[in-house]
C-alpha cells in the first residue's frame, strides 16, 4: 500500500510570520487536502540564538487565521525540530560509519589560504582521506560523490547540478551540533515526507539534501521550489524594506479570505474569468506544475482591491457585526447598522471604520473639532454662508429622508449655479467636521433633523465669526 502524500511546512520561529511563508504554507495545504494527504507543521527551532517561543505561537495563530487549522484532520503537528536532535546525530554517525562523511580539522583560514595557493575557491576536500575522528573543533563533512545530481522539481522540471561545483559540505559543526541541511533532511525522513514544497531560495541546498536522502537509504521526496515574492522595484521582499508580516495585514483590517486568495494568485492563476475565487475552488484547481517560474510581484494595491471586493461581497449582517466589533461599546449599534451598508460599499480595509462614522455618535452639544483645511475650502466661496442659510431654512420642514434632503439641496444649488459636489461641501463640513465621509444625505437621515439643524446653525455662527 502506498502511503498518502505527506507535505510539510517548516518555518523557523525567528521573527514575525512572512507573507511568503504564508503562501508556501497555502501551497502545501492546498495540495495535502486535495490529495487526501497530510500537512505537517514542523517548527525548526534549533537556532537557539534567534528562536523565541512567542514566534512559534505567532506562526500557529497566523496559520489558523489563513484557514490552516490545527483541528483539521489533514493537519499534523506541530512537531519541533529540537525533539529530533538524537536522530540528527545518529544520521551523522551513520554517514560517518558508512564512509559517506569524514571529519576535518581545517580552519576557515587554512581553507582560504590553500584555495589562494591553488587558485580555487572554497574547501578542496583536504581531509577526505586523512582518517580523522571526532575531536573538539573537528567538523563532519559529507563526501560529495562525482557525477551529476538531477532534481525533479514539480515547478521547474529537471534541474541538473554538476557535483564538482559542490564542495564537501559540513554536517556537524566543530561543537558537534548538526547544521540546517542535515537536520532538515533527517526530520523529513523521520516524518515520512513525500513532498517538499518551499521557497526558491532553498533550491541551491537541494542537490546536497538529495545526496543525503540517498546516502541515508531513502528515495528523495518530490521537490517543488516556488518563485520568490518581489516588491515594486522587483527586489526580493525583505523584512527590513517591505511590509511582510502577515500579522500586520491582519491588524490593518485585511480579511483572511482576501489575503488567502491574493497570496494564491502570486505565481499562479486560478482558472476562469476572475482571479477572485473561493478557497474550495482554488484547492481543487491548484497544481504545482502550473506555478510560474518568474518572481511574483506582491502588489499592495492589488491586495487592497481584492480586500475591498471581499468586503463588498460579505453579507451585510456579517459585515455589520465584524465592523461593529471595533467600535466603542457605548455607540448605538442600531444607528451603526443604518450606516453600515454605505460604509461597506467603499471600504478598502476593515480598519478605520470608527473614524469614518464617529460624527453619528457625538453626544448632544458636542463641540465639533473641524478639520481647518476642509473648513476653509468649504466656506471660502462667497455663496457658502447664504447657501447654508437656505439649507437651514429648507431642512427645517422638508421630509426627512435621504432622497428628499438631496432633492432640496439640488433645488437650492441651482440658484447658485453650482454642482452638487460643491454644494454639499459646507453642509458636510458643518455636520461632520471634515470634507470626506460616507454618503451625505444618508448620513443626515440617520443623524436626524434636530441634530443636523443644530450643527448647521452652529457652523453658520462659526462661519459668520470667521468671515
Ligand atoms: N526552516 C527553513 C526555512 O524557514 C525551512 C526550509 C524548508 O522548507 O526546507 O526557510
Amino acid at each position: 500500500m502506498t502511503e498518502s502524500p505527506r507535505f510539510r511546512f517548516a518555518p523557523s520561529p525567528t521573527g514575525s510570520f512572512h507573507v511568503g511563508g504564508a503562501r508556501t504554507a497555502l501551497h502545501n495545504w492546498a495540495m495535502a487536502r486535495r490529495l487526501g494527504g497530510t500537512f505537517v507543521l514542523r517548527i525548526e527551532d534549533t537556532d537557539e540564538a534567534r528562536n523565541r517561543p512567542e514566534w512559534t505561537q505567532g506562526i500557529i495563530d497566523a496559520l489558523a487565521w489563513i484557514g490552516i487549522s490545527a483541528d483539521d484532520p489533514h493537519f499534523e503537528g506541530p512537531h519541533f525540530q529540537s525533539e529530533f536532535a538524537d536522530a540528527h546525530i545518529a544520521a551523522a554517525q551513520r554517514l560517518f560509519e558508512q564512509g559517506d562523511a569524514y571529519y576535518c580539522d581545517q580552519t576557515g583560514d587554512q581553507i582560504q589560504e590553500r584555495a589562494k595557493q591553488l587558485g580555487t575557491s572554497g574547501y578542496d576536500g583536504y581531509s577526505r582521506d586523512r582518517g580523522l575522528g571526532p575531536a573538539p573543533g573537528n567538523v563532519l563533512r559529507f563526501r560529495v560523490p562525482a557525477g551529476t545530481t538531477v532534481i525533479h522539481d514539480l515547478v521547474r522540471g529537471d534541474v541538473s547540478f554538476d557535483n564538482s561545483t559542490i564542495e564537501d559540505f559540513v554536517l556537524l559543526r566543530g561543537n558537534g551540533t548538526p547544521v540546517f541541511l542535515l537536520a532538515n533532511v533527517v526530520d523529513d525522513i523521520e516524518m515520512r515526507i513525500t513532498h517538499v514544497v518551499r521557497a526558491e531560495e532553498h533550491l541551491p541546498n537541494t542537490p546536497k539534501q538529495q545526496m543525503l536522502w540517498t546516502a541515508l537509504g531513502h528515495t528523495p521526496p518530490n521537490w517543488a521550489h516556488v518563485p520568490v515574492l518581489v516588491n515594486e522595484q522587483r527586489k526580493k521582499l525583505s523584512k527590513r524594506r517591505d511590509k511582510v508580516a502577515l500579522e500586520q495585514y491582519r491588524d490593518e483590517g485585511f480579511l483572511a479570505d482576501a489575503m488567502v486568495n491574493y497570496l494564491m494568485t502570486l505565481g499562479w492563476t486560478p482558472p476562469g474569468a476572475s482571479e477572485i475565487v473561493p478557497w474550495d475552488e482554488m484547492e481543487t484547481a491548484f497544481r504545482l506544475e502550473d506555478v510560474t517560474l518568474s518572481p511574483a510581484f506582491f502588489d499592495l494595491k492589488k491586495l487592497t482591491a481584492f480586500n475591498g471586493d471581499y468586503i463588498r461581497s460579505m453579507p451585510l449582517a456579517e459585515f455589520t457585526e465584524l465592523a461593529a466589533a471595533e467600535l466603542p461599546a457605548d455607540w448605538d449599534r442600531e444607528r451603526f447598522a443604518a450606516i453600515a451598508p454605505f460604509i461597506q460599499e467603499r471600504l478598502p480595509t476593515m480598519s478605520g471604520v470608527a473614524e469614518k462614522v464617529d460624527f453619528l455618535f457625538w453626544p448632544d452639544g458636542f463641540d465639533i473639532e473641524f478639520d481647518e483645511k476642509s473648513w476653509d475650502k468649504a466656506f471660502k466661496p462667497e455663496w457658502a454662508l447664504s447657501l447654508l442659510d437656505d439649507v437651514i431654512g429648507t431642512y427645517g420642514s422638508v421630509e426627512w429622508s435621504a432622497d428628499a434632503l438631496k432633492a432640496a439641496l439640488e433645488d437650492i444649488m441651482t440658484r447658485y449655479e453650482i454642482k452638487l459636489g460643491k454644494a454639499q461641501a459646507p453642509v458636510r463640513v458643518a455636520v461632520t467636521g471634515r470634507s470626506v465621509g460616507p454618503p451625505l444625505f444618508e448620513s443626515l437621515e440617520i443623524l436626524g433633523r434636530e441634530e443636523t439643524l443644530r450643527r448647521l446653525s452652529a457652523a453658520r455662527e462659526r462661519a459668520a465669526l470667521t468671515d
Side-chain angles (χ1 to χ4, degrees), residues 398-455:
V398 74
E399 176 203 323
W400 202 256
S401 72
D403 286 346
L405 292 166
K406 182 176 180 211
L409 184 62
E410 280 172 338
D411 200 34
I412 293 168
M413 79 196 194
T414 52
R415 282 180 244 152
Y416 297 89
E417 295 180 348
I418 53 173
K419 293 228 161 61
L420 187 61
K422 281 205 163 165
Q424 283 191 58
V427 179
R428 185 189 288 284
V429 173
V431 173
T432 71
R434 51 196 178 245
S435 55
V436 283
L440 179 63
F441 303 105
E442 282 77 4
S443 300
L444 298 182
E445 183 184 320
I446 295 166
L447 193 61
R449 191 193 306 272
E450 203 184 319
E451 182 61 14
T452 301
L453 287 174
R454 193 192 71 75
R455 292 189 195 177

Side-chain angles (χ1 to χ4, degrees), residues 8-12 42 44 180 184 188 196-199 201-202 209:
R8 78 340 177 236
F9 178 56
S12 309
R42 179 173 73 238
E44 301 213 318
F180 156 75
N184 185 260
D188 284 342
V196 171
V197 180
R198 59 185 177 185
E201 67 203 32
H202 289 290
Q209 294 198 308

Side-chain angles (χ1 to χ4, degrees), residues 4-186:
S4 64
R6 290 173 63 81
F7 291 78
R8 78 340 177 236
F9 178 56
S12 309
T14 53
S16 51
F17 193 66
H18 193 290
V19 286
R23 184 187 58 154
T24 304
L26 288 169
H27 286 165
N28 280 288
W29 184 241
M31 294 296 294
R33 282 180 43 107
R34 178 167 64 77
L35 299 176
T38 304
F39 171 100
V40 177
L41 173 61
R42 179 173 73 238
I43 306 290
E44 301 213 318
D45 59 344
T46 39
D47 184 349
E48 278 169 24
R50 294 169 64 214
N51 289 333
R52 283 208 259 126
E54 59 265 37
W55 297 129
T56 297
Q57 193 53 47
I59 292 168
I60 293 168
D61 294 346
L63 289 176
W65 186 64
I66 55 172
I68 303 180
S69 155
D71 299 331
D72 190 283
H74 298 273
F75 187 102
E76 181 185 307
H79 298 301
F80 291 88
Q81 186 155 68
S82 54
E83 288 169 7
F84 294 82
D86 291 349
H88 306 152
I89 301 293
Q93 183 65 22
R94 177 175 162 189
L95 292 168
F96 173 61
E97 283 163 12
Q98 286 174 186
D100 287 316
Y102 61 89
Y103 282 95
C104 173
D105 61 0
Q106 297 295 287
T107 62
D109 286 348
Q110 288 171 314
I111 293 168
Q112 259 189 0
E113 188 52 37
R114 241 191 347 273
K116 215 156 90 191
Q117 280 166 18
L118 296 168
T120 56
S121 68
Y123 176 68
D124 59 355
Y126 179 79
S127 299
R128 275 193 157 206
D129 302 309
R130 291 172 61 220
L132 297 177
N138 283 6
V139 299
L140 183 70
R141 289 182 179 274
F142 186 74
R143 191 186 299 274
V144 174
T148 305
T149 301
V150 181
I151 301 301
H152 303 296
D153 190 291
L154 293 169
V155 174
R156 287 150 207 276
D158 283 359
V159 189
S160 281
F161 294 85
D162 181 346
N163 291 3
S164 69
T165 63
I166 301 172
E167 68 178 30
D168 286 353
F169 53 93
V170 171
L171 301 173
L172 297 180
R173 300 184 187 92
N175 63 7
T177 57
V179 302
F180 156 75
L181 275 181
L182 176 68
N184 185 260
V185 166
V186 171

